[in-house]
Every structure is written in C-alpha cells, then in structure tokens.
Amino acid sequence: MRAARLIKMVLLLQSRPSMTAAELARELEVSERTVTRDAQALSEAGVPVYADRGRAGGYRLIGGYRTRLTGLARGEAEALFLSGVPGALREMGLDDAASAARLKVSAALLPSLRDASRTAAQRFHLDAPAWFREPETPGLLHAVAEAVWDDRRISARYRRGKDEDEVERLLEPYGLVLKAGVWYLCAREPESGSFRVYRIDRFTAVAAGEEHFTRDDAFDLPGFWEERAEQFARSLLRAEVVVRLSPEGVRRLPYALDPTSAREASAAPGEPDDLGWVTVTLPVESEEVAHTQLMSLGPEVEVLSPASLRERFTKEALRLAALYG
C-alpha cells in the first residue's frame, strides 16, 4: 500500500511545479507527518524530492526528473484504458486525440502489458443512453466542447423550454456532463458570477470569441453536478401524500418511487402498529404521478390523504374487484 502511495506522490509532483505538504496530504489521504516521511523515503531511494522551507514552501522534483510507466501492473494498465468513454469522446470531436494518446501510452508500457487496451475492451463497454430512446448528438456540442477545453467565453442563444422564447447568454463554459444520454453544460455567468446548468440540445446558436476566462480553481465539477442534480430532483416534489405501508410495502417502496422521494420518506418513518404497518409522508411530483407510482405496490399500501387520491384508489379497487369477481 505504501509503495502505491509513493508512486502516486511522485506522479503528483511530476505533474505540478510544487505542492505543499497539506496539498499532498489531501490528495494522498494521509497526514502531513506521513507526507514528510514519504518524501524522505523517496529521497533515500534516489528520487530527487526537494523541500522548500517557509510559508510559500512545498515539495518539488528537481533536475527534470521524470518517471516511466514501466511500473504499472496489469490491472492498473487495464483500468487506465477503461477510463475513456469512446462514444462521448467521439461526440465531442476528441476521438482522434484519444486514439493517439492510447497509442502513446501503449508504446510506453512494458511489452507484457501492451495488450491491456484490447483485454479491457473485451471486458467492459459503457452504453450511456437510457433504454428505449434513440440517442442524438446535439449539433452544437462540438463547438461547446472546444470552448470548454480552450477556456473561451461563448455567446449563446438558449431555449429555456419547449414553448418559451430564446434568451441570449454570455457564458464561461466550465465543464460538460453526459447524463443518461443527455449532454449538459455547467457554466458561469460573468456578470453575476453564478454557476448554472444548460441542456446543450436547447442551444440554438453558439459563438466562441477570442476572450479567454480564468477558471476558479475551487470549482469541483462532480461535486457541483451532484448538488444541482439533487436540487433539481427535490424541486420536482411539490406535493405530499400520507400512506400506510405494510412491511413488504416498506421494502418495495424504493422501487416504486424516485430515489429522492423514497430517501426522504425512509428518513422519518412512523412507529409500526400492531400489524407492523407504518404511516409515512411521501413527497411526490403530483397526485397523478403518485397514483401511478403507488399502484405498483398493490395491497401493500393504503392512501390516507389527500382525500381525492384515496378516492381514486377506492375506485381502482372496486374496478379490480369487479374485474376479478
């Protein structure tokens, strides 16, 4: 385990001019004291790690030291080739660059590992789009992707909804996200400084200017997307229903509702009654959606409120009873 950490430390220092002990500790998930011991161990092993003292100090490699990829194990080499997403790279116009990079990495590997790209491709394939939909590549994705990689501001026209007017936006494109076959742009608006999410298939025009923007180094794309996705999912839940659930209904609830609704309902369950049934309040998108979702639980759920939804279930139950005699 320590050997892998030492290799990672060398690669981190090789990729940056200098790193503080705190930065290395955060990346390696160890204490600063451990970073100091690891740096000393590398130095004793002949790796020229130099420590700069003082407030602005840190660790760096001297003498143009570079390590090679010959230390990769087979599993590590195969994982490296799994990190690419061929379909997404192709849609962004980066398939040629990715292919060249894979060839260069293969050439740098030991001869016994050069079949890693083939063995990885035989064992894993990512199919990002959801079932039952024909994936479409947004026509302006390539232009947006180029602006993202070049850190260039874009002027864009954006359609906020199917029946809404187009708006003009000046954006600093920070990152792209592919979610269930749909491409999104995470961008900052220069005037307000706020970050927003845009569906790329709703852009009707995109023009990248010559002006580059300076990225906020604190921006974390995966963290930002996770937070916004959670906010979006929660914003859809505008209504509430109160139900009784059998033990089997509690078990099946996560399969009937969307994850956010099921998670919130499970966080505060009521006390079980003598039959083991519990009363919970479910956040739902609408009464219509709740009816469709809860019907899948059959006799394992009883709707208590609102009265209109309970009445719908009563009518459904009578129809089923008549149908099955």
Side-chain angles (χ1 to χ4, degrees), residues 2-308:
R2 190 191 185 199
R5 189 175 71 241
L6 292 175
I7 292 173
K8 184 176 180 180
M9 184 174 179
V10 173
L11 293 174
L12 285 169
L13 293 174
Q14 185 174 295
S15 64
R16 308 180 194 181
S18 176
M19 293 184 70
T20 66
E23 290 172 335
L24 284 167
R26 186 166 56 251
E27 291 281 355
L28 299 172
E29 298 181 348
V30 296
S31 67
E32 293 186 31
R33 186 183 295 273
T34 299
V35 168
T36 301
R37 289 198 296 264
D38 286 353
Q40 182 177 354
L42 286 171
S43 181
E44 292 173 355
V47 179
V49 178
Y50 181 78
D52 292 315
R53 306 294 180 183
R55 283 183 62 184
Y59 293 92
R60 60 187 175 89
L61 294 174
I62 60 176
Y65 180 85
R66 307 289 292 179
T67 187
R68 296 177 179 270
L69 291 175
T70 52
L72 284 177
R74 169 164 291 278
E76 295 169 331
E78 291 175 343
L80 176 65
F81 287 103
L82 287 179
S83 63
V85 186
L89 292 170
R90 182 173 57 252
E91 291 181 7
M92 288 188 292
L94 298 174
D95 49 339
D96 289 341
S99 177
R102 285 193 293 271
L103 288 173
K104 291 178 180 180
V105 171
S106 296
L109 291 172
L110 289 171
S112 60
L113 300 179
R114 287 178 185 168
D115 66 338
S117 62
R118 180 180 60 81
T119 58
Q122 288 174 336
R123 289 163 173 80
F124 178 80
H125 173 68
L126 176 64
D127 185 9
W131 285 102
F132 312 119
R133 64 177 295 171
E134 190 68 27
E136 294 184 5
T137 302
L140 296 173
L141 174 61
H142 194 175
V144 174
E146 285 187 340
V148 169
W149 293 116
D150 293 341
D151 292 340
R152 282 188 295 155
R153 287 182 174 177
I154 60 173
S155 298
R157 292 185 61 84
Y158 187 75
R159 187 180 67 256
R160 289 182 291 190
K162 290 184 178 180
D163 301 322
E164 296 187 42
D165 295 334
E166 294 181 0
V167 295
E168 293 187 2
R169 291 285 186 267
L170 177 63
L171 301 173
E172 295 175 347
Y174 265 65
L176 295 166
V177 174
L178 177 59
K179 170 71 170 178
V182 180
W183 284 94
Y184 297 88
L185 171 68
C186 300
R188 180 171 65 181
E189 297 182 349
E191 292 186 4
S192 64
S194 61
F195 286 89
R196 299 182 183 276
V197 176
Y198 300 87
R199 278 187 60 142
I200 292 185
D201 58 7
R202 291 184 182 173
F203 283 116
T204 58
V206 171
E210 298 299 323
E211 183 180 4
H212 292 258
F213 65 90
T214 301
R215 282 179 170 265
D216 180 355
D217 291 336
F219 179 77
D220 173 30
L221 180 60
F224 171 79
W225 176 259
E226 182 178 1
E227 178 183 347
R228 289 303 173 92
E230 179 71 18
Q231 290 176 359
F232 175 72
R234 187 62 186 83
S235 69
L236 296 177
L237 307 178
R238 303 185 180 94
E240 288 185 345
V241 300
V242 181
V243 301
R244 288 179 68 237
L245 293 167
S246 70
E248 176 63 15
V250 172
R251 188 189 69 81
R252 288 164 49 184
L253 188 65
Y255 303 100
L257 303 181
D258 63 87
T260 301
S261 181
R263 186 165 55 248
E264 291 193 16
S266 301
E271 289 294 326
D273 61 18
D274 294 340
L275 298 176
W277 287 54
V278 296
T279 299
V280 297
T281 299
L282 305 177
V284 295
E285 186 173 342
S286 66
E287 184 175 314
E288 183 70 32
V289 172
H291 174 258
T292 301
Q293 293 174 331
L294 295 175
M295 279 294 294
S296 66
L297 296 179
E300 309 303 332
V301 61
E302 177 190 2
V303 175
L304 301 180
S305 69
S308 55

